[in-house]
């Protein structure tokens, strides 16, 4: 398994199976030695044996270069011996390494063709020896069985050994591929986790900055208006500004530490609904809050705190502050939240595509629920539904 930009799994046998000049030279050298020694021995017996040996030596020389030429040399040597009736017993030893090379070949077509050729060779050797015979022995049933057995040992055994080697290499390659696939899967999972963490931190940063600065702006405006007429209220507003700013600074430090990878830095705590409502009321926002059942901690509780904070922040920034915001929470069967705030006269509200709404939707979805938001009868309504048991 690979992805764009990542290296493919390694072919562990690439170097072992690669045809190089050095390896071909070694094969040619061994073939020459084989041909020279055995030809000298068999020349005293028959010229046909020498020709068969030379042809098989050619197969040894090219066994890495051309498997089809190897097959051709094996067939040609066999025909020479059958037509002349003389068996090159010493030279036929070359059939074993030739069959081994074909059985271990990477091409399935070569392996299958070589297997068929081996079966034909065993059957042909048995029939020829049993029915025709040669100058070395007379035709008989025992001769046919013996020749078939010897052929099966050299050609069939060589092919089987080569095929076993190919299977072992495939098994090792499969293990390597599985290890690469596992590593790649782990890398993708880590990248996904990192992306999820970045999205979460971005949502936390948006919620923190939007909420904090909305409160600060509202309180600053209020303090400016009542500074002379009601200094106590102005002082209270400035107190809220200071408290909000200090809390926001601490949370921002935590988020920045997370971005830098400081694991010891605590994550931004989820807002607590009652504290959020109290803070927003201190900005002058009128909130009619009703809660059914008892809130409980966990993923659902965290999502509820963040969604409520963002909804009230949007009501503070974009809603009609002269009219109350309705907040209804229901914890009796899962979690349900409805926040309805009046729109400013003439305001064109619609489902947005900004960070706030997207962040709320992602938080609720991560908790196993759904969120809808939109304009209805002059109100901006946020509706959340999280089934019981959907998340911790």
């Amino acid at each position: 398994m690979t992805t764009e930009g990542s290296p493919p799994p390694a072919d562990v046998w690439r170097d072992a199976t690669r045809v190089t000049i050095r390896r071909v030279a070694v094969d040619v050298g061994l073939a020459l030695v084989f041909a020279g020694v055995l030809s000298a021995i068999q020349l005293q017996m028959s010229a046909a044996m020498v020709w068969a040996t030379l042809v098989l030596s050619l197969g040894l020389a090219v066994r890495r270069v051309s498997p089809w030429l190897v097959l051709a040399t094996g067939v040609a040597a066999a025909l020479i011996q059958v037509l002349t009736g003389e068996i090159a017993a010493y030279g036929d030893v070359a059939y074993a390494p030739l069959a081994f090379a074909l059985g271990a070949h990477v091409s399935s077509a070569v392996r299958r063709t070589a297997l068929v050729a081996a079966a034909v060779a065993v059957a042909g050797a048995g029939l020829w020896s049993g029915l025709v015979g040669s100058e070395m022995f007379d035709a008989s049933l025992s001769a046919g069985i013996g020749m078939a057995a010897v052929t099966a040992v050299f050609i069939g055994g060589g092919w089987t050994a080569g095929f076993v080697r190919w299977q072992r290499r495939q098994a090792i390659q499969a293990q390597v591929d599985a290890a690469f696939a596992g590593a790649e899967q782990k890398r993708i999972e880590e990248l996904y986790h990192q992306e999820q963490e970045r999205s979460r931190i971005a949502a936390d940063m948006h919620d923190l900055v939007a909420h904090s600065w909305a409160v600060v702006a509202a309180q600053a405006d209020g303090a400016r208006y009542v500074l002379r007429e009601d200094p106590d209220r102005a002082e209270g507003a400035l107190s809220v500004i200071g408290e909000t700013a200090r809390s926001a600074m601490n949370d921002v430090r935590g988020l920045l530490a997370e971005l830098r990878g400081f694991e010891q830095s605590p994550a931004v705590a989820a807002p607590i609904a009652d504290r959020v409502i109290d803070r927003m009321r201190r900005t002058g926002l009128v909130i009619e809050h009703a809660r059914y059942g008892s809130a409980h901690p966990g993923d659902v509780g965290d999502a509820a705190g963040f969604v409520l904070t963002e909804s009230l922040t949007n009501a503070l920034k974009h809603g009609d502050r002269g009219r109350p915001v309705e907040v209804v929470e229901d914890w009796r069967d899962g979690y349900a939240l409805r926040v309805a705030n009046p729109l400013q006269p003439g305001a064109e509200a619609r489902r947005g595509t900004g960070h706030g709404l997207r962040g709320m939707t992602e938080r609720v979805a991560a908790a196993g629920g759904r969120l809808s938001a939109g304009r209805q009868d002059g109100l901006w309504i946020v509706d959340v539904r999280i089934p019981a048991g959907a998340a911790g």
Side-chain angles (χ1 to χ4, degrees):
M1 175 180 181
T2 60
T3 58
E4 185 176 355
S6 63
D11 181 1
V12 296
W13 302 114
R14 179 179 56 190
D15 292 337
T17 58
R18 184 171 55 188
V19 178
T20 63
I21 295 178
R22 180 178 179 181
R23 288 172 177 168
V24 173
V26 170
D27 289 344
V28 171
L30 292 175
L32 290 174
V33 172
F34 179 84
V37 172
L38 294 187
S39 295
I41 295 175
Q42 295 181 127
L43 184 60
Q44 302 174 5
M45 303 177 184
S46 168
M49 295 182 185
V50 174
W51 281 111
T53 301
L54 291 176
V55 172
L56 290 173
S57 299
L58 175 62
L60 291 175
V62 299
R63 66 188 182 92
R64 298 180 195 270
V65 179
S66 174
W68 303 112
L69 184 55
V70 170
L71 278 169
T73 58
V75 172
L79 289 176
I80 291 174
Q81 296 177 75
V82 168
L83 294 176
T84 60
E86 298 179 355
I87 300 175
Y90 299 122
D92 285 346
V93 174
Y95 275 112
L98 294 180
F100 179 88
L102 296 175
H105 200 273
V106 295
S107 170
S108 59
V110 171
R111 295 193 305 272
R112 287 195 296 266
T113 304
L115 178 60
V116 172
V120 171
V122 172
L127 291 174
W128 178 74
S129 300
L131 299 176
V132 179
S134 69
E135 295 183 357
M136 299 177 61
F137 53 82
D138 294 330
S140 65
L141 178 61
S142 60
I145 295 175
M147 184 60 68
V150 172
T151 305
V153 169
F154 278 88
I155 300 181
W159 185 93
T160 301
F163 183 72
V164 170
R165 182 183 185 184
W166 175 81
Q167 286 187 317
R168 291 182 61 186
R169 286 183 170 183
Q170 289 299 107
I172 294 174
Q173 183 65 56
Q175 293 176 356
V176 173
D177 292 344
F180 267 87
E184 182 67 9
Q185 180 66 28
K186 183 178 180 180
R187 186 183 73 88
I188 293 175
E189 290 175 354
E190 290 177 351
L191 289 175
Y192 176 77
H193 177 71
Q194 292 173 6
E195 184 62 28
Q196 291 294 100
E197 283 297 295
R198 282 195 290 267
S199 297
R200 181 190 62 80
I201 293 173
D204 287 349
M205 183 69 77
H206 172 272
D207 292 347
L208 169 64
V209 173
H211 172 71
S212 299
W213 286 107
V215 172
V216 167
Q219 292 296 90
D221 289 340
R224 180 164 57 87
Y225 291 135
V226 301
L227 182 60
R228 290 188 175 84
E229 290 79 6
D230 194 343
D232 291 338
R233 286 183 60 188
E235 183 178 352
L238 293 175
S239 177
V240 172
I241 291 174
E243 176 188 341
T244 302
R246 283 190 295 271
S247 176
M249 288 174 61
N250 290 333
D251 289 340
V252 168
R253 289 193 187 100
L255 289 173
L256 292 177
E258 284 190 83
L259 288 173
R260 295 191 182 102
F262 294 162
E263 296 181 359
Q264 69 272 20
S265 300
V268 176
I272 299 175
D274 291 338
R275 294 181 183 177
V276 172
I277 292 173
D278 179 65
R279 179 179 294 180
M280 300 303 287
R281 280 172 173 166
R282 292 167 68 182
T283 66
L285 191 65
V286 179
I287 301 175
E288 295 178 354
H289 179 220
R291 177 182 292 133
Y292 302 97
S294 300
H296 52 79
D299 293 341
V300 175
D302 291 349
F306 281 113
V307 171
L308 179 60
T309 301
E310 178 65 20
S311 299
L312 293 179
T313 301
N314 288 337
L316 179 65
K317 293 192 297 183
H318 308 300
D320 185 355
R321 299 186 193 179
R323 298 162 62 189
V325 177
E326 177 188 356
V327 177
V328 179
E329 293 183 285
D330 191 343
W331 290 90
R332 292 173 295 187
D333 183 19
Y335 178 70
L337 171 67
R338 184 178 187 273
V339 179
N341 66 274
L343 296 171
Q344 296 178 2
E348 290 294 332
R350 56 183 177 84
R351 182 178 177 86
T353 57
H355 294 287
L357 188 55
R358 183 166 62 249
M360 287 194 296
T361 302
E362 291 173 353
R363 289 185 192 279
V364 173
R370 61 176 181 80
L371 177 145
S372 61
R375 182 173 182 170
Q376 181 178 339
D377 299 329
L379 301 175
W380 182 260
I381 298 176
V382 176
D383 192 5
V384 176
R385 294 288 186 274
I386 302 178

